[in-house]
Amino acid sequence: MAVLNEEQEMLRDMARDWATNESPVAAFRKVRASGAPEAFDRDAYTAMGQMGWTGIIVPEAHGGSDFGWLSAGLVVEELGKTLTASPLVATTLAATAIVLGGSEEQKAKWLPKLASGEAIGTLAIDEGPHHNPAKVAASVSGGKLSGTKAFVHEAHGADLFVVAATDGLYLVEKGDGVSLSTRKLTDQRSHAEVTFDGAAADKLAGGGDSLVEDVLDRARILTACEMLGMAQAVFDTTLEYLKQRVQFNQVLATFQALQHRMADLFGDLAMMRSAVEGGLQALDSGFGVPRAATIAKAEANRVLHAISREGVQLHGGIGMTDEYDIGFYLKRARVVEASWGSSAYLRDRFARIGGY
Amino acid sequence: MATQPDLQPPNENDAFREEVREFLAANFPSELRGKGSALAGVDGPTEESEAQRKWREAMGSRGWGTPTWPKEYGGGGLSRRQAAILNEEMAKAGAYNPIGGMGVMMFGPTLLEYGSEAQKKEHIPPICRGEIRWCQGYSEPNAGSDLANLQTTAEDKGDHYLVNGQKTWTSGGQWADKCFCLVRTDKSDKHKGISFLLIDMDSPGVEVRPIQMISGMSPFCETFFTDVKVPKENLVGEEGQGWTIGKRLLQHERTNLSGGGSLARMMGASLADIAKKYVETDETGAIADKVLRDRIADFEIRWNAFLLTARRATEESKAQGGVSEISSVLKKLGTKLGQERAELTIEIMGLQGLGWEGEGFTEAELAGVRAWLFGKATTIYGGSTEIQNNIIAKRVLGMLDHQ
C-alpha cells in the first residue's frame, strides 16, 4: 500500500466504509435482478457525487476538488472490491478528456455537471471487439459525426459521449442521431453498440497530437485500479475460505500445496499493486505516463487473470455457483482485461515505447 | 508512495551535499572511476591496490560506508536523506562504496540490535572501516532448508565453549577473518537449543575447504570445527536465543539478496539492447522475431513491476520502521526474475551465449555464462523459494501448520 497523506487516508477509509456498508456485492445482485440496461443504482451514484468522488480530478474552478489521481484511484479500488456498478470510472475519463483537450467554453459547460454527478459521460473509442485506437473509421463532416462504436461502457446512462473520429476527439450529447443497441456481456453491466448518424459533434481542439493516447492512458490506469480492488477482494475471499473449509478432517489452509499457490498469488498481487500505484504516481507527477500506464494495465491484466482463475479453482464446486460471489469477479475480470488494451496489445506498446 | 515531506531544512542538506563533493574531490582516486560495482560488497579475495586501500580508508574513517549506522560505533550517523545525497554524489562522481560484505549487509545490523555494548564496541568499528571480513556459519550437510536441525555443538567448558561440527555453503569462508555461527548448546530442544556464537577463523581446529560449483567458481566452502575453543564473551544474546537472532539476520539477508537496485545495476544493458546486437531487426529498428520481442516485453514489464515493488517496500518500511516480512516476497520475486532474465539472455545470444572459456567469446559473454550458472543458487540460498513460500503462507497470510 502506498504511503498516503492524512487526507488520502480519510478518503480511502470513507470509500471503504461506504463500499462495505452501502454497496456490498449484494447491492450489485439487486442491480442485476432489476434487469435495467443502465445497470447501476441512481441513488448510489448521487451519493457518490455528494461525497465528491465524481470530481476528484476536476479543477476546483470547474466544481471539482483537484485532489489528484492517487486519490481517485483509491476510491475506484475500494469500489472495485465490492464490484460496485457505477459510471464513476467512465465519467471521470470523459471529464479528463475535457480537462486535457477542451476549450474554456466546453469546460464551463460540462465539467461542473460531470463533477457533481448530475451528468454522466463515457468514452466511445473502439469500433470492434479488440482495443485498437489506430483503427477508427468514424468521421466528422460539417460538425456532424457518423460512425459506429462497439461495446461502449456505461452507454445507457450516458448524457455525453467522448467519441474518437479520424481527426481527434469530439463531444456528442445523447439525443438526435445517437442510437444504442444493448450488448449484454458476462459482467451484466452496461455496454452497447452506439451508432452516430450525423450527430452534432463539438471537437476537443486542445491537448495536442497525443490527446487520444493521453486519455486512453488514464483509462488504462483507472481501469487497473478497479482491477486491483477486484484482485485484492478475490484473494482475501479465497484466503478466508481456505481457512474455514474442512476436508480430510483438516482446514484446507494447512495443506502446503495450497499454501504455496497462495504465496505465489500474494507475490503477484504485490507486483500488481506496485505497478498500478506507479501509474497513478506518474499521472500526478506528469512524468513517464505512457510507459507507466502500459506497465500498470499489463500487470493488472496478468495478475487479475491468474487470481480470478485460481479463486474459482480454490473454492472448488461452491465457486461454480451463482450463490457465491467469486464467479462475479471472474465474469467482470475478462471484460476489463479486454478493455483499453489486452495483454498482447500492451506488450507490443511497451516494446514500441522502448524502441524495439 | 506519496512523497514524504523532507524533515530537514533544505539549506542544511545543501551544506552536506557540498561537504560530500569536497570529500570526493579530495579523496576519490580518479583511476577507480566507474570501476566500483565489481569491487564493492563482494566477499572475494583480499588483494587491494594502493588506490583501493586509500579509498577504503577514507570512506571508513568517516563511517560513510555504513552511512546510517550510529557514529559512536564508527558509522556515519547520517540521516536517510543525507545517505541518499551521499549516494547521489558518489554516482555522479563515478565513485562506489568500498565497504561491504556480510558484515555490513547482515551481521552488523543484527549485532547492533542484539549485541552487548562490549560486543558492539569490539566488532562494529572494524566493519565500518572495512577491515574485517565476516562469513556465515549457518547451513550444515543435514541442515539446509531445515536449518534448525543443525548439529554443530558448543559445549560449555566453564570459561569457554568447545565447538565441534561441520558447516557448509560458507560463502567466502576461505577469505573470512571471523564467522557468525549458529551452534547447538542444548540437544533437548530443537529451536531453543540453538545459540549465536562468533568464531575466529584462525582459531586452532578450524579448517576450510572450497567447493567447486557448476559455474566453475568456488565461492562457497565447507568449514570443519574440531575442538575449537571459543571465549564465552563471543556468545551474542543469551544461550538458546540463537534461533531468534539468526532469523532476524536472515531478514536482512533476504532484503539484500532481492536487492532490486543493485541487481538492476549488475545486469547492465537492457534485454532489448542485447537482442538488437544478437538477432535481426527490421527496417524500423524493431526486433524482427515478433515472438521473441513479445517475450522480452513481457519480461521487462514484470521486471519493472518488481523494481517498483522493491521501491514501495523501502518507502513503506521507512514509514513503519525496520525490515519486514515483505522481505520474503522480495527475495522470492527478485531471484526468480533474475534467473528468468539470465535464461532469456542466453536464448537471445544462442550458442554465442554459452561459451565456457577461450577464443571466440567476449569477456562479457563469458562472464554472463558464469553468472547464469551461479544465479541458480539464488533461489536456493538465504532460504529457498519453497521456504519463503512457507514463511509467506504462515506468517504473512496466517495459514496454519499441518496438524
Side-chain angles (χ1 to χ4, degrees):
Chain A
M1 189 64 238
V3 177
L4 305 175
N5 66 33
E6 206 173 318
E7 284 175 315
Q8 287 165 332
E9 273 184 24
M10 278 171 58
L11 178 67
R12 186 209 43 210
D13 293 346
M14 182 167 86
R16 187 172 289 173
D17 289 346
W18 187 84
T20 311
N21 299 319
E22 307 297 325
S23 181
V25 181
F28 174 66
R29 286 180 182 273
K30 274 189 207 158
V31 167
R32 183 182 69 156
S34 79
E38 70 176 23
F40 70 95
D41 179 344
R42 284 269 167 185
D43 292 341
Y45 194 66
T46 302
M48 290 185 205
Q50 284 163 354
M51 290 184 285
W53 298 351
T54 42
I56 293 177
I57 57 94
V58 174
E60 289 180 47
H62 295 292
S65 64
D66 205 5
F67 208 20
W69 285 96
L70 183 58
S71 303
L74 292 172
V75 172
V76 170
E77 180 190 337
E78 293 303 324
L79 298 180
K81 286 182 183 171
T82 60
L83 294 172
T84 298
S86 90
L88 177 65
V89 171
T91 300
T92 301
L93 295 174
T96 197
I98 297 169
V99 170
L100 292 172
S103 63
E104 278 311 309
E105 200 186 332
Q106 288 166 325
K107 287 178 186 172
K109 179 178 177 186
W110 285 107
L111 291 179
K113 279 197 263 184
L114 294 170
S116 70
E118 181 191 337
I120 288 167
T122 193
L123 302 180
I125 311 288
D126 290 312
E127 300 184 358
H130 300 286
H131 174 63
N132 191 356
K135 209 174 161 190
V136 163
S139 61
V140 177
S141 163
K144 305 285 185 188
L145 189 146
S146 292
T148 300
K149 296 295 174 181
F151 303 104
V152 176
H153 305 327
E154 310 300 339
H156 297 88
D159 304 293
L160 176 70
F161 296 89
V162 176
V163 188
T166 48
D167 64 335
L169 293 180
Y170 286 83
L171 299 180
V172 178
E173 292 182 48
K174 76 170 178 187
D176 288 347
V178 180
S179 58
L180 271 58
S181 173
T182 299
R183 294 286 182 270
K184 275 239 180 239
L185 297 180
T186 53
D187 63 350
Q188 314 274 342
R189 296 274 293 267
S190 160
H191 311 280
E193 181 176 273
V194 181
T195 303
F196 300 94
D197 185 10
D202 188 15
K203 185 166 190 186
L204 292 175
D209 292 341
S210 63
L211 178 63
V212 176
E213 280 302 330
D214 290 345
V215 172
L216 286 171
D217 279 334
R218 283 152 181 80
R220 289 172 188 127
I221 292 168
L222 210 55
T223 303
C225 293
E226 180 189 342
M227 297 167 81
L228 177 61
M230 292 170 64
Q232 183 73 55
V234 173
F235 184 86
D236 292 346
T237 306
T238 304
L239 182 60
E240 206 48 48
Y241 181 77
L242 292 176
K243 288 180 181 178
Q244 283 165 10
R245 171 78 171 164
V246 174
Q247 289 284 278
F248 307 103
N249 296 320
Q250 303 217 355
V251 176
L252 291 186
T254 60
F255 290 101
Q256 195 178 41
L258 305 185
Q259 291 179 344
H260 285 200
R261 277 159 74 178
M262 291 303 281
D264 279 343
L265 294 180
F266 185 73
D268 283 335
L269 192 55
M271 285 169 67
M272 177 186 189
R273 179 170 293 284
S274 312
V276 172
E277 290 178 358
L280 293 168
Q281 285 169 332
L283 285 179
D284 283 331
S285 72
F287 182 74
V289 171
R291 193 163 175 278
T294 308
I295 293 170
K297 181 70 171 34
E299 278 297 274
N301 279 5
R302 177 178 75 82
V303 177
L304 179 60
H305 190 92
I307 286 190
S308 60
R309 283 173 61 174
E310 286 283 75
V312 171
Q313 174 68 22
L314 293 170
H315 271 75
I318 202 81
M320 295 296 295
T321 64
D322 189 73
E323 187 194 338
Y324 263 63
D325 294 339
I326 200 85
F328 286 31
Y329 290 89
L330 174 72
K331 290 186 281 187
R332 174 70 175 162
R334 297 301 174 270
V335 173
V336 276
E337 282 168 37
S339 300
W340 317 124
S342 66
S343 299
Y345 178 90
L346 293 164
R347 289 198 293 267
D348 174 65
R349 185 165 192 259
F350 186 82
R352 261 186 287 138
I353 292 170
Y356 63 96
Chain B
M1 289 197 288
T3 43
Q4 289 285 88
D6 196 340
L7 297 175
Q8 280 182 314
N11 52 351
E12 198 172 315
N13 282 333
D14 286 350
F16 178 71
R17 191 180 290 279
E18 198 43 49
E19 184 190 341
V20 173
R21 283 181 187 158
E22 281 168 19
F23 168 79
L24 287 169
N27 292 288
F28 182 63
S30 55
E31 61 193 279
L32 294 179
R33 212 168 201 288
K35 290 189 183 159
S37 50
L39 307 169
V42 184
D43 299 279
T46 39
E47 305 91 67
E48 212 177 29
S49 72
E50 185 61 17
Q52 283 168 353
R53 186 185 57 76
K54 274 193 177 152
W55 174 231
R56 176 173 59 76
E57 287 173 359
M59 281 289 277
S61 67
R62 291 236 178 180
W64 282 1
T66 46
T68 59
W69 291 14
K71 220 170 178 146
E72 52 179 315
Y73 305 118
L78 302 183
S79 68
R80 284 177 185 277
R81 180 69 199 121
Q82 287 174 326
I85 289 171
L86 175 62
N87 269 331
E88 284 163 25
E89 290 303 319
M90 285 204 299
K92 276 187 215 160
Y96 63 96
N97 182 352
I99 315 278
M102 290 190 183
V104 172
M105 292 193 294
M106 305 179 217
F107 176 62
T110 311
L111 194 73
L112 283 170
E113 198 173 333
Y114 287 99
S116 68
E117 190 56 30
Q119 286 169 335
K120 289 190 229 180
K121 286 231 161 80
E122 181 185 352
H123 297 296
I124 301 291
I127 295 175
C128 296
R129 292 192 300 266
E131 289 171 359
I132 293 288
R133 284 155 190 266
W134 284 87
C135 65
Q136 180 180 32
Y138 269 39
S139 295
E140 296 180 5
N142 287 313
S145 283
D146 184 9
L147 182 60
N149 189 42
L150 59 94
Q151 302 299 331
T152 296
T153 55
E155 204 182 329
D156 191 337
K157 292 284 179 187
D159 65 331
H160 67 272
Y161 288 106
L162 197 63
V163 177
N164 279 288
Q166 182 193 347
K167 293 288 173 184
T168 191
W169 312 127
T170 324
S171 307
Q174 68 271 56
W175 301 300
D177 305 297
K178 289 170 190 287
C179 179
F180 51 91
C181 213
L182 291 181
V183 294
R184 182 156 297 287
T185 42
D186 178 357
K187 288 183 182 167
S188 67
D189 190 304
K190 184 171 179 182
H191 292 95
K192 290 184 186 141
I194 296 173
S195 298
F196 195 99
L197 201 59
L198 311 180
I199 301 177
D200 269 326
M201 292 297 278
D202 56 12
S203 314
V206 178
E207 190 196 342
V208 178
R209 295 182 202 155
I211 305 167
Q212 182 165 341
M213 306 297 288
I214 56 174
S215 60
M217 302 184 287
S218 302
F220 301 118
C221 300
E222 294 175 294
T223 306
F224 298 87
F225 299 100
T226 311
D227 289 336
V228 178
K229 283 186 183 174
V230 180
K232 275 279 178 75
E233 60 260 30
N234 284 11
L235 177 73
V236 178
E238 307 284 323
E239 245 183 47
Q241 209 190 348
W243 186 243
T244 305
I245 301 172
K247 278 196 300 184
R248 182 67 178 162
L249 184 138
L250 286 174
Q251 284 194 339
H252 291 291
E253 178 175 16
R254 272 165 218 146
T255 307
N256 284 298
L257 291 179
S258 69
S262 55
L263 215 55
R265 273 200 303 282
M266 244 160 61
M267 287 178 164
S270 81
L271 280 180
D273 289 342
I274 296 171
K276 284 183 167 189
K277 217 171 125 190
Y278 286 88
V279 301
E280 275 179 56
T281 50
D282 66 16
E283 64 284 353
T284 67
I287 297 164
D289 180 340
K290 295 300 175 206
V291 176
L292 182 63
R293 174 176 177 269
D294 185 74
R295 289 176 54 210
I296 292 172
D298 174 49
F299 175 81
E300 294 283 354
I301 286 169
R302 285 180 291 123
W303 179 247
N304 274 283
F306 168 70
L307 294 181
L308 288 168
T309 306
R311 193 179 78 181
R312 184 160 68 88
T314 309
E315 285 169 9
E316 287 172 11
S317 74
K318 242 186 267 178
Q320 292 151 12
V323 292
S324 62
E325 303 285 8
I326 198 82
S327 64
S328 284
V329 179
L330 289 179
K331 201 265 177 181
K332 163 191 162 82
L333 294 174
T335 52
K336 175 171 175 271
L337 286 165
Q339 289 181 350
E340 205 181 316
R341 188 186 195 280
E343 292 287 4
L344 197 49
T345 306
I346 283 179
E347 200 179 325
I348 290 167
M349 293 176 162
L351 292 176
Q352 192 64 32
L354 285 167
W356 183 251
E357 61 192 6
E359 281 176 29
F361 304 101
T362 66
E363 246 177 73
E365 285 166 350
L366 292 173
V369 174
R370 303 303 173 113
W372 157 66
L373 286 167
F374 180 75
K376 295 300 177 202
T378 60
T379 49
I380 301 167
Y381 63 47
S384 68
T385 300
E386 291 71 20
I387 292 294
Q388 304 309 327
N389 281 341
N390 286 348
I391 293 172
I392 293 165
K394 285 170 193 161
R395 288 200 221 132
V396 185
L397 302 180
M399 298 174 91
L400 313 167
D401 273 323
H402 205 278
Q403 286 146 7

